[in-house]
Amino acid sequence: MIALARVILIGIFILFSSIVISLLCLLRPKNPKNTYIAALMYGKVAYFLGFKVSLAGNENLPKTNAIFVCNHQSNYDVFIATNTVIENTVSVGKKSILYFPFFGLMYWLSGNILIDRSDKNKAINSLTIAQRNIKSKNLSLWFFPEGTRNYAKQLYPFKSGAFHLAYNTGVPIVPVCISLYYNKLSLNRINNGKIIIKYLPPVYVNKSAKESAKEVHLSMKENILDLEMKQN
């Protein structure tokens, strides 16, 4: 019964928020402030899911713009990871997001960047636009570098796009680690426990993107395991 109520209410929330943010976007299209407002709204849903979200490592946030890379457990990350989104940040997501009813349109209108991974030339063009925006608009970008959901099983290898951008623009990579929650989530349970989200120290990419991706991957893997121990 609790699960059904949550599903229905979350569906209503997504419909309502998509309409509100989409209307806001018509007034100021592709403005990153729209993304920040959406993130504030979606982040509150974590508590409705029965999670208590705790942020750590705020001292590691750079004073300049950055490229954030985060582990990706499930679609519920849209309610979890959004608790860490700072102002003037947009995310980079798969083109398929556009086809999610209501949410996809809002996501695109908010100024987030869609990448068509099935077409290499289009993907490169999208990243080129992102690189231009980092420099000209002082934007921060948010990536799930695994490229797919891992369902709290293991941290998949990282794609190198975010690290190429960091190298080309000189802005730091800020790793964001979310403690494992997907294997503990029950929509029928009122209290689903604590989630710890930690910003790691910024990393400046001054070597090959693939090598940097591997180093950040290892650091995040170790920190996620450490968060798991603190969580239990």
Side-chain angles (χ1 to χ4, degrees), residues 6-222:
R6 275 178 168 151
V7 170
I8 292 173
L9 290 174
I10 287 174
I12 293 172
F13 166 79
I14 291 175
L15 173 59
F16 173 77
S17 63
S18 296
I19 293 172
V20 171
I21 298 299
S22 294
L23 289 174
L24 180 62
C25 290
L26 292 177
L27 297 175
R28 50 182 193 191
K30 300 300 181 85
N31 191 315
K33 291 181 180 179
N34 302 333
T35 301
Y36 182 65
I37 291 173
L40 290 176
M41 294 173 66
Y42 274 72
K44 303 301 182 186
V45 179
Y47 300 92
F48 177 70
L49 289 169
F51 290 118
K52 180 181 179 182
V53 179
S54 174
L55 298 180
N58 288 321
E59 68 277 5
N60 292 321
L61 285 171
K63 295 181 179 179
T64 61
N65 56 333
I67 296 175
F68 296 88
V69 296
C70 183
N71 56 313
H72 191 14
Q73 294 181 56
S74 75
N75 286 337
Y76 290 108
D77 284 341
V78 72
F79 306 123
I80 309 298
T82 41
N83 283 282
T84 67
V85 174
I86 63 173
E87 293 188 67
N88 216 39
T89 300
V90 297
S91 66
V92 178
K94 294 182 290 188
K95 185 181 178 182
S96 58
I97 293 175
L98 185 60
Y99 305 112
F100 290 7
F102 305 108
F103 178 84
L105 180 62
M106 178 199 70
Y107 184 87
W108 177 68
L109 287 174
S110 297
N112 295 296
I113 298 168
L114 294 167
I115 290 183
D116 185 356
R117 292 199 179 115
S118 65
D119 188 317
K120 185 176 180 180
N121 289 331
K122 288 184 178 179
I124 292 174
N125 184 57
S126 295
L127 289 176
T128 301
I129 293 172
Q131 179 174 313
R132 191 182 306 136
N133 288 340
I134 289 174
K135 292 181 176 180
S136 64
K137 299 181 180 180
N138 203 35
L139 280 181
S140 293
L141 295 185
W142 183 281
F143 280 83
F144 288 119
E146 293 167 275
T148 189
R149 299 168 293 278
N150 62 44
Y151 299 109
K153 294 178 181 178
Q154 61 177 327
L155 191 64
Y156 293 149
F158 287 172
K159 298 182 183 302
S160 58
F163 299 87
H164 280 295
L165 286 178
Y167 179 83
N168 291 336
T169 59
V171 303
I173 291 281
V174 176
V176 182
C177 298
I178 301 177
S179 61
L180 302 181
Y181 71 85
Y182 182 75
N183 53 354
K184 302 167 186 174
L185 170 63
S186 171
L187 292 178
N188 265 320
R189 189 166 51 224
I190 293 177
N191 182 5
N192 278 301
K194 184 178 181 180
I195 293 177
I196 305 173
I197 308 178
K198 183 178 181 181
Y199 300 105
L200 301 188
V203 176
Y204 287 88
V205 178
N206 51 18
K207 58 185 72 173
S208 77
K210 287 187 177 180
E211 187 177 349
S212 296
K214 288 180 180 179
E215 290 180 0
V216 171
H217 181 279
L218 178 60
S219 174
M220 288 181 64
K221 185 177 180 180
E222 292 173 347

